[in-house]
Amino acid sequence: MNNPLLDLSSLPLFDSILPEHIESAVDTLLADNRAQIARLLGSTQTYSWDNLIQPIEDLEERLERVWSTVSHLNAVMNSESLRAAYNACLPKLTDYSTEMGQNVRLFQAYKSIADSAEYANLHIAQKKIIDNELRDFHLSGIDLKPDDQQRYKLIQQELAGSTAKFEENVLDATHGWTKHISDESELAGLPPTAIALARQCAEQAGLEGWVFNLEFPSYMPVMKYADSRALRRELYEAYVTRASDKGPNAGSWDNRPLMERLLALRHELAQLLGFANYAELSLAKKMAKRPQQVMDFLGDLGQRSRPMAQQELAELEKFAQDMHAQSGKVTDIQQRTQMLEAWDIPYYTEKLCQHKYTLSQEDLRPYFPEQRVVEGMFGVVSRLYQLRISERNNVESWHPDVRFYEIRDAHDELRGQFYLDLYARPHKRGGAWMAECITRKRAARGIQTPVAYLTCNFSAPVGNDPALFTHDEVLTLFHEFGHGLHHMLTQVDYVGVAGINGVAWDAVELPSQFMENWCWEREALDLISGHYQTREALPQALFDKMLAAKNFQAGMHMVRQLEFSLFDFRLHLEFDPGQGARIAEILQQVRDTVSVIKPPVFNRFANSFSHIFAGGYAAGYYSYKWAEVLSSDAFGKFEENGVFDQATGQRFLRSVLEQGGSREPMELFVEFLGREPTIDALLRHSGIAA
């Protein structure tokens, strides 16, 4: 069988790849990798970069390239057959990874190169790869006794399967609930875009009326705009009980046993490797070095932010009460001790924002049509880094909505390519992310062009109108494109530290959060906005309202992120096998410390917290705030010199984006800014400085 997954001569052959190709391709590559590495280790007694490490880098890159295609398809075009093939490969890949990480001869070969005279003459990126690999051998159990190594392997196998199952449960639970409405009066308050989307969903299901689901473009407008409190509550309950023991699908895809097991396995793994807990193990590859350093950082932000958040909530509660008093209606909101329930917060927040600033996200949506936003974002990048981005047609993809682009520099050199998949749809994982398709490296035939997957879940075009984005969605797109630029603009020729590879996880969000800043600058907004019907520029009055409302409820937003960060970190820091995971207990303690909104007892947000239970953020969710300190401080240099100052843009390009993981993040930051970061810019940008 000719297997299209194994054809690496060009971009992935999406038109030809079938689920039955997956396991065969992985089996072929794993067998060949094992044979090739055994041959490399047996062929010489004097190891070097050229006769050992570079060949292994090439083998690993080939395997990663195939698996990234499979993983991406599993996320964006999920099906039973694809899911089965994906899951069948997980234990095989885990076994291989563990086997390589515990290969004593391989470890000794790497160590011999690190101790040799050759090491001093290697490129800084090559040295970093060797140093990282030696660290990772220890984190893979190279020092353990045989019985403990076998236990390590079994733990890694179970972790891989359990995280995949967690994500599947969230996906199934998200798509396992819909709300069909036939009475138009229930739609009161909803904007026309939300109603049109619901109508389109109903038509696709062969139903009259309107259908809402738990995908974000359908769910969030109900929470923000629906006058029907009962409807808001119904969707809220369905959303926050996904994959749990509560709610309309209670028990159907309950993630609770998986969460307990994942935390226990991570703790056991950490202790097996000599760490007190998984939080310590997590920090072995991060900028932060000690758990207390993370806790102090989050605690400091909490102390600065919570008083402001409490004032914001009190203002919201009073506004809701006054709003109903003025209407002459007596409602249960006025009669309750806790005046607002969780399903009321987004609704009255939107009303208060409109009251204070006469501004709604829906007011902005007509000014952010997809084509204008995407082309304008490319214009921002062009002005910052002298790059040209153009669409390429006739490239195979996994869905008709996907588009493909390439990036060229001022010398017309091809720097990167990317797929852009913007819309929410069934069988697609929620959220937004960047993933690697192909990584840059120097090969015999020249430089291998890096390729990225950029994935979002925005509202698709409805009727004859183009897709219209909220400003929040524009921020999300810029965020993911920042990750993409980090991957694609690298000038590092060695896969292990090219792009985002080898970058400390609490620094990897720097380029993404950094890009968001331009969404608030008038010069940039003139590029990314324009009314979809009249092409009128975003009116200055509307822009002024945006700026005035930028830090609206910034304290509440801050403490919500701190709640997630502290909950994640404490789960992994304080796990005790004798007491179990204590998920609900720790979450309640965190909420008592930093939160201001008290959710209902049926809330099971943790059961769909994929970042930490299925993604790479376990004991690392704090990274978002940690990196935001870096990004805010870095953007301060553009505020000083001009948001499109080319010299500053080129310095950021050279110091951060092009360097990948070849040097430590702090070293790169200091090279760009001339000093270490401070928290001041973050507090100023968030409106919390005072």
Side-chain angles (χ1 to χ4, degrees):
M1 175 175 68
N2 290 327
N3 194 323
L5 274 169
L6 295 176
D7 184 349
L8 303 181
S9 62
S10 62
L11 296 164
L13 302 174
F14 288 109
D15 288 349
S16 306
I17 297 169
L18 299 172
E20 51 263 37
H21 295 132
I22 293 172
E23 197 168 1
S24 170
V26 169
D27 287 344
T28 298
L29 292 180
L30 291 179
D32 189 54
N33 277 21
R34 287 184 169 103
Q36 295 273 22
I37 290 170
R39 181 184 61 78
L40 290 167
L41 287 172
S43 62
T44 181
Q45 295 301 310
T46 304
Y47 298 108
S48 68
W49 178 273
D50 289 337
N51 70 21
L52 181 77
I53 299 179
Q54 187 59 60
I56 290 176
E57 283 262 296
D58 292 338
L59 292 171
E60 295 295 336
E61 187 266 337
R62 182 182 62 167
L63 176 62
E64 177 55 35
R65 187 166 161 185
V66 169
W67 188 242
S68 72
T69 301
V70 175
S71 299
H72 184 69
L73 285 173
N74 189 56
V76 297
M77 294 295 286
N78 194 270
S79 66
E80 287 188 20
S81 55
L82 184 56
R83 184 182 290 187
Y86 176 86
N87 286 330
C89 293
L90 285 177
K92 299 179 181 186
L93 290 161
T94 303
D95 285 353
Y96 170 78
S97 176
T98 302
E99 181 185 316
M100 291 301 112
Q102 296 179 355
N103 187 320
V104 175
R105 290 183 64 196
L106 189 59
F107 168 65
Q108 291 173 341
Y110 270 80
K111 196 170 185 309
S112 72
I113 298 172
D115 294 338
S116 71
E118 179 198 15
Y119 180 83
N121 297 319
L122 291 175
H123 187 278
I124 189 171
Q126 295 171 298
K127 293 178 182 177
K128 190 71 163 63
I129 287 172
I130 294 171
D131 295 345
N132 288 352
E133 288 294 337
L134 291 174
R135 175 201 66 196
D136 292 346
F137 274 114
H138 295 295
L139 297 179
S140 297
I142 194 73
D143 307 310
L144 300 178
K145 296 176 181 177
D147 286 351
D148 288 338
Q149 286 187 335
Q150 180 62 22
R151 180 58 191 152
Y152 176 99
K153 176 180 176 180
L154 293 174
I155 291 173
Q156 291 288 23
Q157 284 181 340
E158 192 175 347
L159 283 171
S162 296
T163 54
K165 184 61 178 173
F166 183 98
E167 190 66 68
E168 288 171 6
N169 285 344
V170 174
L171 181 67
D172 291 343
T174 300
H175 294 135
W177 185 94
T178 58
K179 172 68 174 177
H180 179 216
I181 292 176
S182 54
D183 181 357
E184 191 170 2
S185 67
E186 291 189 59
L187 306 179
L190 286 171
T193 52
I195 294 172
L197 178 62
R199 169 74 78 180
Q200 186 168 281
C201 289
E203 290 171 352
Q204 291 169 350
L207 297 170
E208 295 292 325
W210 303 267
V211 168
F212 294 89
N213 57 48
L214 299 181
E215 291 173 5
F216 215 68
S218 179
Y219 167 75
M220 186 46 68
V222 173
M223 300 311 299
K224 291 174 73 171
Y225 300 106
D227 291 336
S228 170
R229 194 177 192 220
L231 180 62
R232 297 200 308 269
R233 188 194 191 284
E234 186 176 0
L235 263 77
Y236 173 85
E237 183 175 0
Y239 190 83
V240 302
T241 58
R242 288 174 300 158
S244 80
D245 60 331
K246 299 293 183 182
N249 286 319
S252 297
W253 300 282
D254 189 1
N255 267 333
R256 180 58 181 260
L258 285 173
M259 295 154 66
E260 296 272 354
R261 186 63 180 153
L262 281 165
L263 290 166
L265 288 169
R266 288 169 181 169
H267 183 78
E268 183 184 355
L269 183 72
Q271 295 212 313
L272 201 60
L273 294 172
F275 297 92
N277 49 67
Y278 190 81
E280 284 190 5
L281 172 56
S282 170
L283 296 186
K285 293 184 177 184
K286 293 184 170 68
M287 287 182 74
K289 297 306 176 191
R290 294 172 292 102
Q292 194 58 47
Q293 188 181 1
V294 175
M295 292 296 293
D296 289 346
F297 169 71
L298 297 174
D300 178 45
L301 278 178
Q303 287 182 350
R304 294 171 185 261
S305 307
R306 196 169 190 236
M308 181 172 166
Q310 289 170 326
Q311 292 173 9
E312 291 167 349
L313 182 61
E315 178 189 31
L316 186 65
E317 289 173 336
K318 184 178 186 307
F319 170 78
Q321 189 175 33
D322 291 347
M323 181 176 161
H324 287 284
Q326 291 167 9
S327 71
K329 297 177 182 177
V330 177
T331 71
D332 57 350
I333 291 177
Q334 292 170 287
Q335 297 168 356
R336 300 180 73 89
T337 304
Q338 181 180 322
M339 305 205 12
L340 297 179
E341 297 286 5
W343 50 90
D344 298 319
I345 300 290
Y347 177 76
Y348 287 102
T349 290
E350 184 65 22
K351 290 283 188 285
L352 178 57
C353 187
Q354 291 181 34
H355 173 74
K356 291 182 70 171
Y357 308 106
T358 59
L359 178 70
S360 164
Q361 283 281 331
E362 290 300 310
D363 297 334
L364 298 172
R365 195 188 286 272
Y367 290 94
F368 292 110
E370 175 190 337
Q371 184 175 358
R372 180 76 178 191
V373 171
V374 172
E375 291 179 356
M377 180 173 69
F378 298 162
V380 169
V381 169
S382 174
R383 291 184 63 178
L384 281 172
Y385 308 124
Q386 288 73 63
L387 300 170
R388 179 167 51 85
I389 304 174
S390 57
E391 186 170 4
R392 230 182 86 186
N393 297 316
N394 303 317
V395 174
E396 293 183 22
S397 70
W398 54 94
H399 193 276
D401 291 338
V402 177
R403 291 150 71 183
F404 187 82
Y405 297 88
E406 59 183 30
I407 304 176
R408 293 184 178 273
D409 63 18
H411 306 290
D412 203 38
E413 179 185 342
L414 182 62
R415 295 289 295 269
Q417 299 172 316
F418 60 97
Y419 299 88
L420 188 62
D421 184 358
L422 289 175
Y423 312 138
R425 61 176 176 268
H427 311 296
K428 181 181 178 183
R429 195 180 93 204
W433 67 93
M434 188 285 294
E436 299 164 274
C437 173
I438 300 174
T439 304
R440 177 187 167 105
K441 72 172 183 179
R442 185 174 294 279
R445 58 186 179 187
I447 295 295
Q448 177 171 279
T449 302
V451 183
Y453 299 116
L454 296 175
T455 310
C456 298
N457 273 278
F458 302 154
S459 299
V462 176
N464 295 321
D465 289 338
L468 301 175
F469 298 156
T470 65
H471 188 250
D472 286 344
E473 289 174 331
V474 175
L475 286 165
T476 297
L477 179 59
F478 269 66
H479 180 102
E480 299 309 331
F481 198 53
H483 281 308
L485 293 175
H486 201 188
H487 170 63
M488 292 182 284
L489 298 183
T490 185
Q491 291 289 279
V492 178
D493 293 339
Y494 305 96
V495 169
V497 290
I500 64 170
N501 290 332
V503 178
W505 205 251
D506 44 7
V508 82
E509 296 294 335
L510 163 58
S512 54
Q513 295 186 0
F514 175 75
M515 275 298 294
E516 292 181 35
N517 289 291
W518 275 267
C519 299
W520 296 101
E521 296 296 328
R522 179 79 241 192
E523 288 180 75
L525 280 164
D526 286 342
L527 297 176
I528 64 176
S529 66
H531 197 282
Y532 78 102
Q533 291 173 320
T534 66
R535 299 189 179 180
E536 173 196 6
L538 183 74
Q540 184 63 34
L542 207 49
F543 174 64
D544 291 341
K545 292 176 184 178
M546 279 177 58
L547 288 185
K550 179 184 178 184
N551 290 322
F552 176 59
Q553 295 187 342
M556 289 171 65
H557 290 303
M558 177 72 81
V559 297
R560 179 171 167 79
Q561 287 299 305
L562 295 176
E563 175 188 318
F564 296 162
S565 300
L566 283 164
F567 171 60
D568 161 49
F569 205 74
R570 285 188 56 187
L571 276 181
H572 294 94
L573 178 67
E574 300 173 17
F575 184 87
D576 182 345
Q579 298 184 59
R582 298 165 51 230
I583 294 170
E585 179 185 342
I586 289 175
L587 181 55
Q588 189 57 52
Q589 289 175 2
V590 168
R591 284 173 171 163
D592 289 343
T593 303
V594 298
S595 306
V596 294
I597 297 172
K598 307 303 179 188
V601 292
F602 61 74
N603 181 292
R604 294 290 187 272
F605 111 87
N607 289 54
S608 57
F609 197 1
S610 295
H611 274 79
I612 71 168
F613 289 113
Y617 286 86
Y621 195 86
Y622 78 89
S623 299
Y624 281 102
K625 282 300 163 195
W626 186 278
E628 198 174 346
V629 170
L630 305 178
S631 66
S632 293
D633 211 0
F635 185 67
K637 180 59 68 175
F638 287 87
E639 291 178 310
E640 291 175 21
N641 297 341
V643 294
F644 284 122
D645 181 67
Q646 291 191 2
T648 310
Q650 287 298 310
R651 190 156 71 251
F652 188 81
L653 175 66
R654 290 192 301 270
S655 298
V656 178
L657 297 178
E658 292 185 347
Q659 297 291 325
S662 63
R663 293 158 61 195
E664 291 300 322
M666 185 63 78
E667 184 182 341
L668 297 178
F669 185 91
V670 171
E671 179 181 299
F672 169 68
L673 202 57
R675 58 166 174 77
E676 293 195 356
T678 69
I679 202 171
D680 300 357
L682 170 62
L683 297 175
R684 176 168 52 83
H685 288 154
S686 301
I688 300 174

